[in-house]
Amino acid sequence: MTAPDAKSRIDKLRTTIQTADAAYYGAGESIMTDAEYDRLYAELAALEIKHPEFLTSTSPTQRVGNDQTAAFTKAPHRRPMLSIDNTYAADEVRAWVERVQKTAADGPLAFVGELKMDGVAAALRYDRGALVAAITRGDGVTGDDVTVNVRTLKSVPLSINYAAPLEVRGEVFMSFAAFARINAALTEEGQRPLQNPRNATAGTLKLLDPAQVARRTLSFSAYTLLSEAHTATHLENLAFMQGLGLQVALHSPALPDVDAILDFCETWRTRRHTLPFPVDGVVIKVNSLAQQERLGATAKSPRWAIAYKYESERAETVLRDITVQVGRTGVLTPV
Ligand code: IVH
């Protein structure tokens, strides 16, 4: 194959793979079989080895870079990453809706309910269509630059079809399946198992070896867009991010009133247990971005959002037995 032919084939393969990733993580659709995907990916990787002159950092093969170790320098946030006021009481949700209605009383309000994934918040920055940085929340003003590790997440597109600078905020989290798999391996190696998926996510993001991060298969779901894109509502922002190939937080359609909001809160109290990842509550947000702006924020949290959390399910149990497992290397682990 001539160099120009190889270049055009490489471009074609990258576009096809990126389109498949975007459809899978954005819209939740498979546009090809896994086998077809693997075949195209292998073809691309082979061509890039033959023609290293065409390698780019946004190629789907470059999620784990060469010889990279994570450095975790501090990075300032462009806008503070706030947290949300929490409540466990339906009455407080009611009071919040009334307050919001009074403050933003320029017409009817609509709300959006979203799942609150239990992971670690992160901000992804894109510029000229390429992922350029991923930063943890940190103290809200400065976070850790975990770009090399976040690049390994399959649900984070390395390139998007949008040239202007843009920031996407969302949650990095671990599925229960990944958590169980990692703990089985740690136990087998005689190491202490991880406590819960949220701690496991935080620990994984700080690993020094991106290849090891890739094997732990973290996920990312977006819930905030900071950009010059001219959208009017939060729901439009979610659709916009989904269109870029990002996975967005599971959410409701527009909720018109407090009854619809409380219904959403109650429905997910039990339904969350059918999901393959940890959810510790729901977040209710004002849909109109103009109304969000008018409501503004306190030093700590925006007035346009409230988190309704579910009590963590702890119960007293009886310890019946302890068995001692023998690992491959002869290490004894009490289970
Ligand atoms: S919105 C300013 N939406 O919960 C509001 N947060 O304190 C920005 N979280 O730090 C956050 N799911 O890590 C939002 N659908 C969701 C979320 C969500 C999880 C986390 C986030 C935030 C914390 C709330």
Side-chain angles (χ1 to χ4, degrees):
M1 200 186 285
T2 66
D5 284 351
K7 172 79 169 71
S8 77
R9 182 67 187 152
I10 284 172
D11 287 343
K12 179 92 200 340
L13 287 165
R14 284 181 187 156
T15 310
T16 310
I17 291 168
Q18 270 154 20
T19 308
D21 284 341
Y24 186 77
Y25 292 103
E29 287 161 8
S30 292
I31 59 170
M32 61 179 77
T33 62
D34 286 359
E36 178 71 358
Y37 183 95
D38 293 343
R39 196 184 62 69
L40 296 177
Y41 188 96
E43 185 187 346
L44 174 60
L47 276 173
E48 286 174 341
I49 288 169
K50 255 196 211 147
H51 296 277
E53 69 273 27
F54 300 136
L55 208 54
T56 59
S57 63
T58 54
S59 174
T61 60
Q62 299 305 297
R63 289 194 172 273
V64 180
N66 286 330
D67 305 323
Q68 273 170 327
T69 56
F72 309 131
T73 52
K74 298 277 171 204
H77 288 294
R78 301 249 159 96
R79 283 208 239 156
M81 272 181 99
L82 303 177
S83 72
I84 322 178
D85 284 337
N86 284 336
T87 179
Y88 291 88
D91 276 349
E92 287 188 24
V93 177
R94 271 180 209 285
W96 174 79
V97 172
E98 272 170 32
R99 216 156 51 234
V100 164
Q101 234 135 18
K102 249 183 237 154
T103 319
D106 62 335
L109 280 161
F111 302 85
V112 181
E114 254 170 30
L115 297 194
K116 187 172 184 304
M117 289 76 60
D118 196 9
V120 173
L124 313 182
R125 285 187 202 150
Y126 289 89
D127 197 6
R128 297 192 188 102
L131 176 72
V132 292
I135 301 156
T136 62
R137 177 167 180 273
D139 62 6
V141 177
T142 328
D144 284 317
D145 183 329
V146 289
T147 313
V148 290
N149 284 345
V150 169
R151 283 176 60 89
T152 68
L153 275 59
K154 289 276 195 122
S155 47
V156 171
L158 296 179
S159 64
I160 57 173
N161 196 6
Y162 187 82
L166 162 152
E167 184 169 312
V168 167
R169 293 177 175 182
E171 200 82 352
V172 179
F173 59 95
M174 186 180 281
S175 68
F176 293 121
F179 178 69
R181 184 168 45 72
I182 293 161
N183 269 352
L186 287 175
T187 308
E188 170 70 16
E189 289 161 17
Q191 294 188 53
R192 185 193 282 274
L194 303 163
Q195 225 183 344
N196 57 49
R198 200 193 59 77
N199 284 346
T201 302
T204 302
L205 280 177
K206 296 287 172 65
L207 290 174
L208 295 174
D209 176 9
Q212 199 185 345
V213 177
R215 284 195 295 275
R216 287 192 169 187
T217 60
L218 296 171
S219 305
F220 177 81
S221 259
Y223 49 66
T224 301
L225 173 70
L226 303 178
S227 83
E228 300 294 301
H230 293 286
T231 51
T233 64
H234 180 62
L235 280 175
E236 283 170 37
N237 278 349
L238 293 175
F240 179 82
M241 293 191 285
Q242 202 162 14
L244 296 175
L246 285 145
Q247 186 175 295
V248 299
L250 275 177
H251 59 277
S252 71
L255 304 171
D257 53 32
V258 72
D259 290 336
I261 290 171
L262 293 178
D263 194 44
F264 179 83
C265 293
E266 277 322 302
T267 301
W268 282 101
R269 179 188 298 283
T270 46
R271 195 178 286 172
R272 74 194 161 113
H273 296 304
T274 65
L275 296 169
F277 51 85
V279 165
D280 62 342
V282 294
V283 183
I284 309 297
K285 300 176 178 178
V286 170
N287 191 29
S288 155
L289 301 180
Q291 282 170 335
Q292 282 189 5
E293 196 142 321
R294 199 154 325 134
L295 285 155
T298 66
K300 210 183 116 265
S301 48
R303 290 192 194 88
W304 46 262
I306 191 167
Y308 180 74
K309 299 232 305 185
Y310 304 120
E311 301 284 352
S312 72
E313 277 146 11
R314 285 190 204 173
E316 207 167 288
T317 65
V318 177
L319 178 61
R320 291 236 172 88
D321 197 8
I322 296 175
T323 56
V324 179
Q325 275 185 0
V326 186
R328 210 174 352 104
T329 54
V331 178
L332 303 179
T333 310
V335 177

